[in-house]
Amino acid sequence: MSSTIWSVDEHLEDILAAVRPLEPIELQLPEAQGCVLVEDVVVEIALPPFDNSSMDGYAVRVADVAGATEEFPAVLTVIGDVAAGDAGLSDDQRVGPGEAARIMTGAPLPAGAEAVVPVEWTDGGTGEGPAATMRAHSDAPEDAAGEVRVHRPAEARAHVRARGSDVRPGDLALRAGSVIGPPQIGLLAAIGRSTVKVRPRPRVVVISTGSELVQPGEELTGGQIYDSNSFALTAAAREAGAIAYRVGAVSDDAETLRATIEDQLIRADIVVTTGGVSVGAYDVVKEALSSVGDEDEPGGGVDFRKLAMQPGKPQGFGSIGPDHTPLLALPGNPVSSYVSFELFVRPAIRTLMGLPDVNRPTARASLVTDKALSSPAGRRQFLRGTYDAEAGTVTPVGGSGSHLIAALAQADALIVLPEDVTSAEPGADTEVILLR
């Protein structure tokens, strides 16, 4: 372990200097969700690709319905149906004077028509009062060839979605750097793209260590606790945008841990361990990895450090295996491991994704507390808190202990007390890292 005391910023800078964005690949749209686009996407077709109706109703000429009222309706001859997916009326058919075509939402506007009147403005072809809906074609095929009474006039292009009104050929659909979410996938599909070039989501392997750890659902015996860290960190990695794999707790045996990590490298872009990095006699991660290096890369291997922070003083970082896979070794206490993940692992994941902004957003807030908060001199302390954006305040939850996981579940922010602050008074202006 290095004897130097590292600052939080120095440790993060060292990590980010060693982590490179993943190489771009072409992915099918469903697999591209959550990935970052690496090239601009330009539209090649108009959207919508043709003039179409935004309502169920009748395609008409404006002059034929001018002045129409319920008392004196415009009576038009229905020349056919145009449904969504149809090519439209046949080539020799067009809406002429005194005529209308029954049209469904999304169907192409037929030749000769200038507007669409909703079915509610008509009698629906029944010869009775205003219609609430169209009769199904299978129930009343005569409605597609009879007469319709229109009770209201329509302006030109009423209820018509114009070709290219969403996007036109040559428009920029998505910029490089965009994260592909459901709306972006919808747009890409709508303009005919089946694949897209992105940086893949990083694969993160999370390994917890400790012979005392038992999987949830199993029975505890003396001296045992449930493995919560691997679940929390795997969830945090997924929330950060990664594909995460959780490995069940590994006992305090250096050879077993080393073999487990080597087995996992095949599916890892980054490895995260939790536990076994302090100064105890059974700190297995340090024992297993201190001597591990990259044979063909000087300076490879894992360096174990002390950081000027609380919680999370012991940390490890380096690269292992033939592909120089980054490894971050986090402390084992639940709060320490989660705070460490937010400060160091999450930015590394976001860097692998190719995102420009890798850190959580921050804000300034007034401290709401009954008494002053103490903080150790020379260390940057991170306390759990609840942030009220409207009031501009943050309230601590729980104490400063690194094992208080119940308070962490209530927190949505970290309160940052800098290295030169030993006491934060009620009402003090503080930095907060927003976790949600």
Side-chain angles (χ1 to χ4, degrees), residues 27-40:
L27 289 179
Q28 298 286 329
L29 292 189
E31 284 70 48
Q33 183 171 355
C35 298
V36 176
L37 192 63
V38 297
E39 60 186 6
D40 290 345

Side-chain angles (χ1 to χ4, degrees), residues 223-293:
Q224 294 182 323
I225 60 173
Y226 287 120
D227 171 19
S228 63
N229 285 356
S230 67
F231 286 91
L233 299 187
T234 301
R238 290 195 183 113
E239 197 267 344
I243 298 169
Y245 304 105
R246 190 189 70 85
V247 178
V250 178
S251 63
D252 289 322
D253 178 78
E255 285 304 318
T256 301
L257 176 59
R258 192 178 292 122
T260 300
I261 292 175
E262 288 175 356
D263 287 345
Q264 293 297 321
L265 289 178
I266 189 69
R267 64 173 181 174
D269 295 307
I270 186 169
V271 175
V272 179
T273 66
T274 172
V277 295
S278 192
V279 293
Y282 293 91
D283 285 328
V284 65
V285 175
K286 196 168 61 173
E287 180 185 352
L289 299 180
S290 289
S291 60
V292 174

